[in-house]
Amino acid sequence: MFCIEIAGLLVEIDNRYEKIKTQCKDYIVEADQEPDIRVATTDKMLEPLVQWWQEKDPQHLSMEDLEIYALHGRIYPWLPQYDAAWMHASAVEVDGKGYAFTAPSGYGKTTQSKLWLEYFGKRARIINGDNPIIRFMDGDCYICGTPFGGSEGYQCNKKIPLVGICYLNHSERNRITRMEPEMAFSQIIQSNYDHRMFYPENLKPLMEIWERIVEHVSIWQLYCNRSFEAVEVAYRGMNEGRNPYMKGYPRF
């Protein structure tokens, strides 16, 4: 058993295997107070996961990895109680501001984030490659790193103000358009559905958090290719609300 701090929340993890503790090493804290969230695994919880994994990838079945999947999934339902929600996204920091890219798995979230690292150099870092948390604190909206950084392990124990969220679409031409609130809310529900989150008791507060995100954060459709021009379009669009390649708008 050990404690971690993520998104300003103290989480107690009752683990069976050491791998999750190793993965969480940058977040481990000495707890001198009651945790906000407690999570643990049980045989009943792991049994269906074992069956699911055997059907998906039997050669790489690992109880250690299943425990990580189960335990970080157990954290999600508690988050709305603390003005927070998980997001399936890759989050990048540039000059102390956060930008999130979301899309189906394998679509190019991490690729877009890596382009930002190449373009901005030391000004940028990836906060999380797959599972950041968005949380409202002191009236501001932050995107926060977690130990669960996806297959490539991109993660950083940090929270930063969130500027914008981009939904990625493949396109030869780079452009960005702001989503209307109704469409943005619907898109968030679709792209962040996870059966581990949807408990009857947390459904209403979860929807309320997503509504707040739509109200406080600009949400965009980014049509892009794998070029530095795509980075310029996304960065300028999210910061100034305009497409930098519209007629009469100067480039960097």
Side-chain angles (χ1 to χ4, degrees):
M1 184 183 296
F2 62 99
C3 286
I4 62 173
E5 185 175 340
I6 52 174
L9 298 170
L10 187 62
V11 181
E12 181 184 272
I13 297 178
D14 188 358
N15 60 311
R16 298 183 176 191
Y17 304 99
E18 283 299 303
K19 186 171 183 177
I20 188 170
K21 189 172 183 178
T22 300
Q23 184 162 330
C24 293
K25 61 183 175 62
D26 295 336
Y27 300 77
I28 293 176
V29 295
E30 292 295 329
D32 56 1
Q33 62 189 60
E34 282 293 303
D36 299 298
I37 299 170
R38 286 187 170 95
V39 293
T41 55
T42 63
D43 290 335
K44 184 177 181 180
M45 182 194 309
L46 290 177
E47 283 173 8
L49 289 179
V50 171
Q51 182 179 354
W52 166 71
W53 198 277
Q54 285 175 333
E55 295 173 357
K56 177 185 175 184
D57 191 3
Q59 291 186 335
H60 297 94
L61 175 64
S62 162
M63 294 304 295
E64 291 89 347
D65 290 334
L66 284 182
E67 180 179 58
I68 292 171
Y69 178 82
L71 284 174
H72 90 257
R74 294 285 289 176
I75 296 171
Y76 298 161
W78 293 95
L79 295 176
Q81 296 185 27
Y82 299 96
D83 293 332
W86 162 83
M87 174 163 276
H88 181 219
S90 181
V92 179
E93 174 191 7
V94 177
D95 298 333
K97 298 179 179 179
Y99 307 84
F101 305 100
T102 185
S105 296
Y107 199 82
K109 300 186 299 296
T110 304
T111 298
Q112 186 64 213
S113 296
K114 287 180 179 178
L115 278 174
W116 281 53
L117 294 188
E118 291 181 47
Y119 185 89
F120 290 104
K122 293 182 179 180
R123 294 167 58 191
R125 74 171 77 186
I126 297 178
I127 298 298
N128 192 273
D130 202 44
N131 295 288
I133 289 172
I134 297 176
R135 188 182 182 199
F136 289 91
M137 291 178 276
D138 301 322
D140 292 321
C141 186
Y142 293 86
I143 193 154
C144 311
T146 74
F148 315 108
S151 59
E152 297 193 49
Y154 284 112
Q155 58 84 18
C156 176
N157 186 2
K158 194 171 182 181
K159 63 180 178 66
I160 48 175
L162 179 59
V163 172
I165 299 169
C166 276
Y167 286 86
L168 300 181
N169 303 269
H170 294 163
S171 174
E172 293 184 4
R173 174 174 169 255
N174 295 300
R175 60 190 177 93
I176 188 169
T177 59
R178 190 163 184 171
M179 298 177 69
E180 293 296 327
E182 294 80 6
M183 180 175 289
F185 182 72
S186 175
Q187 188 70 52
I188 284 179
I189 294 174
Q190 293 178 44
S191 60
N192 293 289
Y193 174 79
D194 190 304
H195 67 278
R196 296 171 292 174
M197 293 173 60
F198 286 85
Y199 292 4
E201 60 270 25
N202 88 321
L203 189 57
K204 184 175 184 292
L206 179 60
M207 294 296 175
E208 290 173 349
I209 288 296
W210 284 342
E211 286 179 353
R212 288 181 67 188
I213 291 171
V214 170
E215 290 171 358
H216 287 82
V217 180
S218 61
I219 300 179
W220 306 82
Q221 292 277 12
L222 176 63
Y223 302 87
C224 62
N225 53 37
R226 299 181 179 184
S227 69
F228 285 153
E229 182 186 84
V231 177
E232 295 174 359
V233 167
Y235 180 80
R236 186 67 65 84
M238 284 192 280
N239 275 285
E240 300 190 22
R242 291 185 285 179
N243 189 330
Y245 292 91
M246 290 173 63
K247 183 177 180 181
Y249 195 73
R251 293 184 57 163
F252 277 48

